[in-house]
Each structure stands twice: as structure tokens, then as C-alpha cells.
Amino acid sequence: MKIGFIGLGSLGTPIALNLADSGHELYVYNRTASKVAPLAEKGAIVCESVAALARQCPVLFTIVSDDAALKGICEGEGGLLENLTPESIHVSLTTVLPETAKELADRHAQHGQHYLASPVFGRPEAAIARKLNYILAGPGFLKEKIEPLLKDSGGIKVWDFGEAITAANTVKLCGNFLIAAALEAIGESIALARSSGVDAGRMWELFNQTLFNTPVYHNYSNLIVQQKFEPAAFTMQLGLKDMNLVLQQAASVQQNMPLAALLKEHMQQLVSEGKQSMDWSAVSFAAR
Amino acid sequence: MKIGFIGLGSLGTPIALNLADSGHELYVYNRTASKVAPLAEKGAIVCESVAALARQCPVLFTIVSDDAALKGICEGEGGLLENLTPESIHVSLTTVLPETAKELADRHAQHGQHYLASPVFGRPEAAIARKLNYILAGPGFLKEKIEPLLKDSGGIKVWDFGEAITAANTVKLCGNFLIAAALEAIGESIALARSSGVDAGRMWELFNQTLFNTPVYHNYSNLIVQQKFEPAAFTMQLGLKDMNLVLQQAASVQQNMPLAALLKEHMQQLVSEGKQSMDWSAVSFAAR
């Protein structure tokens, strides 16, 4: 199938490579042109603009940095809304505010196009290993068409959250909030252990084999015990973006989330100290 | 071996029964006399006082509610310090402040007796299934003697944290803090999902099979999705006690723990509203 792909970042690249490896005809575009090289090597067609790509592809994947970037490629004369052909399907993998997904779905519909929300859980290594978990929301007939492509792109499972387009991004934000909460908790536990003269590595060996025997805790407790926050797999800046989205969503439904507020405050402090490029697992260091 | 056992609560009882089933000669005492019945049925000898029990047993396990209760059975004319024979070993399973363990170890030593700290991870079901994880700290020659008994009592594994007696309770407090942090995070995620019109049960099906595939998250997300907070497996009152211990330990080593402070505040609020007997998994309801 002819598939467009916009957003060849650290996660977008392995996802796009999986699609190419699965035999699809890929059309790629990236703001930073050098990033298209690995795809071009696999035979992907490099487009010179969003518009050029949009005109070719009945299905388009996007995975960009945030709400503004996603809206940026949708809007304007050279954007997706003006250039995608009728009935084409925009599969949006970016973590955005549920309200942004709703707004873009509506605007695509006004142009006779379709928008599916499919944010994704998994780091780049998981994409390479084809172990991504996709969350999918939108109209059933579109999901049926797109689900096999999500599997081709590295999805080990596609989790259907119904027709309401906002559900997928809400679940994604909840997941990122839960990971951030675990990071703060791991960090505070390690700080308490160390200050009390306890071997924090040994303590996490225990927790990782018992109470918290799951990759999120394994990976992050190792990073935090070693204080290995660079290079970042997911930056503090992105973490702060997500906590802002969580709190915006919470505010829009009048939900109090004091732990999310605490996490945001810590990330904000670290970013304001110039630590925006550190891995977000350094979050608990705001309290030191 | 002749083993004394004090503290036949919900966790103490299955631990003591395991010791009896493993062929040890048990001497039991409990403040609430009716609780000795299941042990008496297994042939345990019921003692009329702490002192009577202490005089018989070269090894003694205690598992009581808190620091004050533990000090209470150690001190005074009828207490362990006055009545345990020289060289006898007190294995203390209660979650207490590391400083309490240190103080009691010193006082036992002054009486020619030994004290080992061995707090335990596992709910009563885990004790019955012999899947407890013991954390052990103290002098090596004592640990060698006691480790087989901890296994007989239901330990699937005994985790050695060195000679410093304070280490074991520090690790235990870190573990309980981490669980409490997960409870708050799970609760806030469910609240956000529900307010946003997302099926929270379905969302946790996803998280439990992916990011958080571990019993702590499985069990507690089920309880919180169902809002099933009674009967409590671990009460809000006990949770508050533990968060107080975490913050006392943190203060004693000048460690800032803002997430622990938030958890304590929430538990305190719920206890002050009369919810002290609810399961501690209701912690996030303080923010509603």
C-alpha cells in the first residue's frame, strides 16, 4: 500500500522502517531533511513538502513533537487539510490533547478526509523489536482498515478504545502520567535509601524481582540508580509537555490531580534550570 | 526448634502456622487471647504472658502493629528485655522506624540478647502460599541461624541487607512508600479517565498487560476501578503510620520527599474524615 509518513524522529524512524520492511510503498517527509536517509536507503520516496506527500497518499501516518507541530502540518496552504485527497486517512500517532484530536478529526471531516487517533506506547527499542502497543480510537470502518498497518509498523497489539476520538489520547496521557509518577517514586526511594546508608542498587534488585517486576521499573530504576540521565530516551522537555497536557485535560473535566501537579512542578523547575535535555527520569532531582 | 511467637494478627497467624507446620515447637502469646485458637489446634503451647513465653524460647518472632507496641512488649518488668535468656534471638518482623530497630538492638545487646530486623513483604495470602519476601539485617552469625526459620515461616526468599540493623526497615519503608505512590497514581489515572468518558477498566486491562504487568498494579487497579475499599487488606490507618515513618526517617537524614508528604497528607485527611478502616488503596479519594 502507498503510505505517507511524516515525522522521522527517534520513534518515527523505526516505525517507518518497519512499514517499509513490511512491503509498503513509503512516501516520506521530514522537516530536518537529513533524517530521511535511512528510509531513502530502503527505497522510500522522499517528498519535498507536506503538500507533495499529501497529494500522493491515501493513508498517512504522522508522529511529531506536540500539538502545535501537528496543527502546523495540518493547517495552511501547504498543509494536510488543503492537500490530502478526499477519503484519505490521517493516522495520528502523536501524544496530543484529546481536544486537539477532536478538533482535527472535525476539520478533516469538513474536507472529506478521515482522522484516526493512534498514540503509541513503546520506546525506539520496542519499535525495532516490533513490540509497540497502539491505542486506537475513531470510526469502526477506518479502524478495520488501519489496524493491519499498525501491526506492520511494529505493533504487537492494537487496543481499541471505541469510536470517541478523544479516548485514545486520554489513555496515552494517563499512561505517561503513571510512568512519571513511578519515576518520582523510584527517585525518592533511592534518595531515602542512600541518605540512610542503604545500597540502593541492591534494594532495587529486590523490588525489581518482587513488587515491581516490570520493564518500566527495571529500566528506570537502573537509570536512576546510576544517575544516567544523558543521552535522554525521552527528554524532560517532552515530559513537561505531557504533564501540561494531563493537567489541561484534567482541568477541562474539572478533575483534581495533585500528583500530576507535583510532577509538572518538578519538571518545570528542572527545565528552568536548563535541564530540558536530560532524561525525564531525573524528575525527582527537583526535590534535592 | 522451640520458637516463641508474639503477634497473631492477619499476617502473624499464617506465618506462625507455617512454622508449626514445618515441625517447630511453638510457644504463642497474643494480647487478644481468642486469636491463639488456630495455633493451639496445631499443638502450639499458649503462654499466659510475654514473660512466661520469653523465659522458654531461645528464638522469638514478633510481629505487632507499630513501634509503640513493639517497645511495649520489650520494656518493663514483664517485657522481653527482662525475661529473654542470654544469647536468645529476637527476630522482629514489624515495620518500624530504623532508629527503633537500632535502639532495640542496642538494648538487647546490653542484656546479652540478640535482635534481628526482618520486616516482610507479602499479604496474608502470600504467607499462606509461602511466597513472602523477608528483608534481613544484622550480624552474620545470627542471620545464618535465622534464615532457615524464615523460610520455614513462609519465606520464598530472604534478602540480606548487611550488618547495619537499620537497613532492613529502611528498605521496607521504601517499599511501602512505592506501593502508596502507585495507589495514588492509579487512582488519579482512573479519575481522569472516567471524567473524560473513558472506560477505566478497559484502560487498566491495557496497562496491566503492558506497562504495569505486576501484581501490585493488577490487584490495586482492580480494587480502585471497583472502588472496593472494604474490607481492608491494609487499612488507611496503617498506611498513614507507614507514611509517618517514611517522613520521620527522611527528616532524620535531611531528605526531602515531596511525594511521600503528599501521600501522608491525603491519608491524614481521609483518617480525619473517619475513613481509617478503609483499604489504603482509597488514598487518591482525598483529592476528589
Side-chain angles (χ1 to χ4, degrees), chain B residues 87 99 104 273:
Chain B
E87 298 305 324
E99 189 51 39
L104 289 176
E273 291 169 4

Side-chain angles (χ1 to χ4, degrees), chain A residues 115-129:
Chain A
Y115 179 97
L116 271 182
S118 191
V120 54
F121 284 112
R123 291 162 78 111
E125 314 85 81
I128 292 164

Side-chain angles (χ1 to χ4, degrees), chain A:
Chain A
M1 191 181 269
K2 214 184 250 191
I3 300 178
F5 203 102
I6 298 178
L8 298 168
S10 59
L11 188 56
T13 297
I15 290 175
L17 288 170
N18 286 339
L19 284 168
D21 286 339
S22 298
H24 298 289
E25 195 183 338
L26 242 61
Y27 288 71
V28 299
Y29 170 79
N30 202 75
R31 213 173 35 180
T32 313
S34 61
K35 294 202 174 169
V36 300
L39 271 298
E41 276 172 38
K42 291 257 182 192
I45 293 152
V46 179
C47 301
E48 286 187 357
S49 66
V50 169
L53 183 149
R55 286 191 291 263
Q56 311 262 12
C57 300
V59 172
L60 168 75
F61 282 63
T62 60
I63 178 164
V64 295
S65 56
D66 57 17
D67 294 56
L70 181 60
K71 286 183 183 177
I73 57 172
C74 287
E75 292 166 352
E77 230 177 84
L80 296 177
L81 291 163
E82 290 299 330
N83 294 285
L84 281 173
T85 53
E87 297 307 323
S88 59
I89 306 170
H90 176 186
V91 185
S92 172
L93 312 187
T94 307
T95 301
V96 293
L97 197 64
E99 189 52 37
T100 298
K102 175 88 174 63
E103 181 193 324
L104 290 176
D106 289 347
R107 293 177 68 188
H108 279 71
Q110 284 157 18
H111 285 78
Q113 306 148 356
H114 306 293
Y115 179 97
L116 271 182
S118 191
V120 54
F121 284 112
R123 291 162 78 111
E125 314 85 81
I128 292 164
R130 293 183 171 265
K131 287 188 174 170
L132 297 173
N133 280 279
Y134 283 104
I135 317 160
L136 189 56
F141 75 99
L142 294 176
K143 289 188 289 193
E144 269 175 42
K145 279 191 192 170
I146 296 304
E147 186 173 329
L149 299 182
L150 291 173
K151 294 213 166 140
D152 287 347
S153 81
I156 193 168
K157 190 152 178 178
V158 178
W159 297 80
D160 187 354
F161 274 85
E163 303 259 325
I165 198 82
T166 51
N169 282 290
T170 301
V171 171
K172 173 64 182 171
L173 291 178
C174 284
N176 283 15
F177 157 67
L178 286 158
I179 297 169
L183 298 180
E184 175 73 29
I186 293 168
E188 291 191 18
S189 79
I190 289 170
L192 181 62
R194 290 219 163 116
S195 311
S196 307
V198 171
D199 179 343
R202 168 78 176 153
M203 180 175 83
W204 270 97
E205 202 184 315
L206 158 60
F207 294 150
N208 281 327
Q209 285 181 44
T210 56
L211 297 170
F212 298 106
N213 189 1
T214 181
V216 166
Y217 282 89
H218 290 197
N219 297 339
Y220 283 117
S221 64
N222 280 336
L223 291 181
I224 303 172
V225 163
Q226 296 169 50
Q227 303 197 16
K228 192 177 175 315
F229 302 127
E230 273 159 327
F234 190 78
T235 63
M236 195 63 71
Q237 186 74 59
L238 284 171
L240 177 58
K241 179 208 91 169
D242 283 357
M243 290 313 107
N244 275 320
L245 294 181
V246 167
L247 289 168
Q248 278 179 60
Q249 177 61 18
S252 77
V253 293
Q254 278 98 52
Q255 187 61 53
N256 200 6
M257 291 184 75
L259 175 46
L262 179 150
L263 297 168
K264 182 206 153 169
E265 194 187 297
H266 286 192
M267 291 183 187
Q268 191 128 51
Q269 187 191 320
L270 290 162
V271 167
S272 75
E273 291 170 5
K275 303 194 172 88
Q276 64 280 355
S277 306
M278 274 195 176
D279 194 80
W280 70 330
S281 52
V283 57
S284 74
F285 280 70
R288 304 292 160 84

